[in-house]
């Protein structure tokens, strides 16, 4: 059965779930979009904002869904996978939008064999959260990672791929452990680093309050993600803490090297380091 004949249930209508719902509804990609929300007000807002055709606060809603997408924070996804199990339709495809894959894939591996589970993660977002920030174009030209599980089938993977490409994303299949290693470097540790930079500047500001007046575009760009959803960021960092700590150790080691160059006044070595980094950065985001 193609995606256009499916009923898709989305659990959690924040930025990611809401954006997916809006994209599905606007593009008429499936037969119906259902939304499971925590609050009645959010359910009403989901339908009124065209992020779902129907929405409710009771998981009974999911019994109609051919595809269930969990779009809550990662640790909540791990808990909900089992809690919602009695409400999954026979041979339903269950996937997610979680930022950390290993614990979710492990939880999916433990689901009943009647469930077709596929881990996934759209690599995109905003520093603002909630359904009010949802955007049907959020996934356009963004990378969407697919992490198969022991409960995946060729058909279930094809459906999740169709879902991702249908809302404009580019798909890449990746093992859950590798995903979490890479995501720690390019997504999760930058959250920690961005917060650390703001906190460091705040400490400087205790004795030099003019620091905030001088903060301009460079500071804005390097600290943008520090303005994000704190609960989401905390969930990501704790869910992937082993990998984030490894990246953090690597960064501390590099900072020590830079400190040494500065302490020694080693202009030649510092320029060589900065040039190498600049050339790597220039090759990105073209």
């Amino acid at each position: 059965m193609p995606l256009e004949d499916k009923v898709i249930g989305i659990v959690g209508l924040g930025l990611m779930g809401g954006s997916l719902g809006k994209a599905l509804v606007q593009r008429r990609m499936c037969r119906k979009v259902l939304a499971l929300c925590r609050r009645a007000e959010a359910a009403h807002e989901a339908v009124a904002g065209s992020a779902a055709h129907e929405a409710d606060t009771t998981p009974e809603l999911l019994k109609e869904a051919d595809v269930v997408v969990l779009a809550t924070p990662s640790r909540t996804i791990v808990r909900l996978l089992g809690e919602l199990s009695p409400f999954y339709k026979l041979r339903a495809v269950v996937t997610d939008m979680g930022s950390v894959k290993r614990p979710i894939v492990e939880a999916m591996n433990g689901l009943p064999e009647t469930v077709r589970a596929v881990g996934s993660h759209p690599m995109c977002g905003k520093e603002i959260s909630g359904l009010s920030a949802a955007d049907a174009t959020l996934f356009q030209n963004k990378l969407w990672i697919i992490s198969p599980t022991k409960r995946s089938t060729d058909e279930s993977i094809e459906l999740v791929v169709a879902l991702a490409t249908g809302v404009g994303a580019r798909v890449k299949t990746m093992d859950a452990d590798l995903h979490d290693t890479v995501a720690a470097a390019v997504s999760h540790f930058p959250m920690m680093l961005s917060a650390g930079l703001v906190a460091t500047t705040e400490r400087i500001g205790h004795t030099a309050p003019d620091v905030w007046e001088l903060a301009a575009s460079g500071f804005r760009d390097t600290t943008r993600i520090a303005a994000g959803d704190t609960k989401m960021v905390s969930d990501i960092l704790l869910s992937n803490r082993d990998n984030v700590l490894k990246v953090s150790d690597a960064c501390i080691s590099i900072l020590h090297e830079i400190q040494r160059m500065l302490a020694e006044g080693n202009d030649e070595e510092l320029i060589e380091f900065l040039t190498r980094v600049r050339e790597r950065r220039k090759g990105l985001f073209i």
Side-chain angles (χ1 to χ4, degrees):
M1 187 186 295
L3 191 63
E4 55 263 31
D5 295 326
K6 303 289 188 183
V7 174
I8 298 178
I10 303 174
V11 181
L13 263 286
L15 170 65
M16 302 302 287
S19 295
L20 178 62
K22 285 192 171 187
L24 292 171
V25 171
Q26 288 184 17
R27 298 182 181 217
R28 299 180 181 178
M29 286 177 53
C30 59
R31 182 156 58 90
K32 187 191 296 185
V33 177
L34 308 175
L36 177 60
C37 306
R38 285 186 304 158
R39 300 175 295 106
E41 295 85 350
H44 176 76
E45 184 182 350
V47 176
S50 298
H53 297 108
E54 297 178 19
D56 207 336
T57 58
T58 172
E60 295 284 340
L61 180 84
L62 297 178
K63 290 184 175 181
E64 188 185 352
D66 302 296
V67 180
V68 177
V69 183
L70 279 74
T72 64
S74 295
R75 289 185 295 176
T76 304
I77 289 173
V78 170
R79 173 174 57 81
L80 289 178
L81 278 166
E83 289 184 5
L84 295 176
S85 186
F87 304 98
Y88 299 145
K89 189 176 182 178
L90 184 64
R91 287 184 289 278
V93 174
V94 177
T95 190
D96 75 289
M97 305 180 82
S99 300
V100 182
K101 293 273 64 75
R102 183 176 62 184
I104 292 173
V105 166
E106 288 175 350
M108 286 179 168
N109 287 338
L111 289 174
E113 293 185 5
T114 53
V115 176
R116 310 290 187 248
V118 182
S120 79
H121 175 210
M123 300 288 291
C124 57
K126 295 181 180 180
E127 63 270 23
I128 50 177
S129 60
L131 181 56
S132 60
D135 179 358
T137 66
L138 182 67
F139 312 104
Q140 195 71 40
N141 296 319
K142 300 299 191 299
L143 195 61
W144 192 309
I145 303 300
I146 304 292
S147 295
T149 76
K150 293 179 180 178
R151 296 290 178 260
S152 299
T153 63
D154 290 344
E155 182 184 13
S156 63
I157 292 173
E158 288 171 5
L159 273 175
V160 177
V161 169
L163 179 70
T165 56
V167 297
R170 299 176 290 111
V171 169
K172 182 178 180 66
T173 300
M174 185 176 288
D175 171 80
D177 286 336
L178 178 58
H179 167 278
D180 289 356
T181 298
V182 173
V186 300
S187 179
H188 305 164
F189 176 65
M191 296 175 182
M192 175 178 167
L193 195 61
S194 179
L197 179 54
V198 174
T200 300
T201 307
E202 185 173 41
R203 184 172 296 180
I204 299 298
H206 290 161
T207 54
D210 288 344
V211 68
W212 300 114
E213 185 178 353
L214 271 62
S217 58
F219 187 82
R220 178 199 64 203
D221 293 344
T222 52
T223 61
R224 178 184 61 82
I225 52 179
D229 185 328
T230 55
K231 288 184 178 180
M232 179 200 71
V233 171
S234 175
D235 179 86
I236 290 171
L237 294 178
L238 289 170
S239 296
N240 199 24
R241 60 180 176 268
D242 290 348
N243 287 307
V244 172
L245 287 171
K246 289 177 183 177
V247 176
S248 177
D249 285 342
C251 183
I252 289 170
S253 175
I254 292 170
L255 289 174
H256 283 159
E257 281 297 297
I258 298 172
Q259 285 180 322
R260 177 189 59 76
M261 296 175 207
L262 293 175
E264 295 174 356
N266 195 328
D267 184 63
E268 183 177 341
E269 188 178 2
L270 183 60
I271 290 175
E272 181 182 346
F273 169 81
L274 294 174
T275 301
R276 186 173 70 252
V277 171
R278 182 191 65 183
E279 292 306 307
R280 168 62 71 179
R281 178 58 178 80
K282 283 170 64 177
L284 302 173
F285 314 113
I286 297 174

